[in-house]
């Protein structure tokens, strides 16, 4: 059917890259949170760590206004240890690196002066 072909084509044209890339969210009446989580585990030593980064956009705001980062460490002697901080929003950027092809892998870089690149 023609309407299915048109909708599928239109849907693919609107897709910038991976669905796991950061999303633009226009101002609305609702708050918006987006975050990324990565965990690395060494099962032979029972040690793991995770990095969590999240951004928050309050209602009616055009841009994200808060960025939060956390490091979670787990060892046999210390089951869970968490360090977290709010980053300076004026020095925080998300740089897209994905190719504009549907189904391409997610690639972006999170940068914050004084915190580093992730």
């Amino acid at each position: 059917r023609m309407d299915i072909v048109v909708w599928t084509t239109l849907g693919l044209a609107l897709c910038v890259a991976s669905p796991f890339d950061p999303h633009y969210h226009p101002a609305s009446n609702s708050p918006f949170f987006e975050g990324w989580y990565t965990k690395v585990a060494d099962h032979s030593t029972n040690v793991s760590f995770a990095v969590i980064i999240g951004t928050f956009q309050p209602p009616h705001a055009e841009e994200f206004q808060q960025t939060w980062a956390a490091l979670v460490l787990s060892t046999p002697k210390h089951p869970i240890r968490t360090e977290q901080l709010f980053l300076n929003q004026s020095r925080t950027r998300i740089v897209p690196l994905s190719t504009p092809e549907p189904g391409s892998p997610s690639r972006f870089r999170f940068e914050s002066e004084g915190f580093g690149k992730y």
Side-chain angles (χ1 to χ4, degrees), residues 50-52 68-73 80-85 115:
V51 176
I52 305 166
W68 170 80
L71 175 65
V72 182
L73 176 66
I80 295 182
R81 180 175 176 189
T82 304
E83 297 293 332
Q84 54 189 332
L85 66 129
F115 182 70

Side-chain angles (χ1 to χ4, degrees), residues 17-29:
S18 170
F20 301 109
D21 279 352
H23 294 83
Y24 168 74
H25 188 261
S28 72
N29 293 331

Side-chain angles (χ1 to χ4, degrees), residues 1-17:
R1 294 181 35 180
M2 185 61 163
D3 58 340
I4 293 175
V5 172
V6 171
W7 175 248
T8 303
T9 304
L10 179 62
L12 292 176
L14 293 175
C15 180
V16 175

Side-chain angles (χ1 to χ4, degrees), residues 58-113:
H60 310 290
E62 291 290 332
E63 298 178 350
F64 289 105
Q65 295 187 0
Q66 290 182 327
T67 301
W68 170 80
L71 175 65
V72 182
L73 176 66
S74 177
T75 66
K77 292 183 179 181
H78 299 85
I80 295 182
R81 180 175 176 189
T82 304
E83 297 293 332
Q84 54 189 332
L85 66 129
F86 284 92
L87 302 170
N88 183 331
Q89 192 63 32
S90 66
R91 296 179 175 181
T92 302
R93 292 172 295 290
I94 297 175
V95 181
L97 301 170
S98 294
T99 58
E101 299 170 10
S104 65
S106 177
R107 288 194 59 224
F108 62 93
R109 183 174 56 240
F110 174 85
E111 300 176 353
S112 183
E113 292 177 33

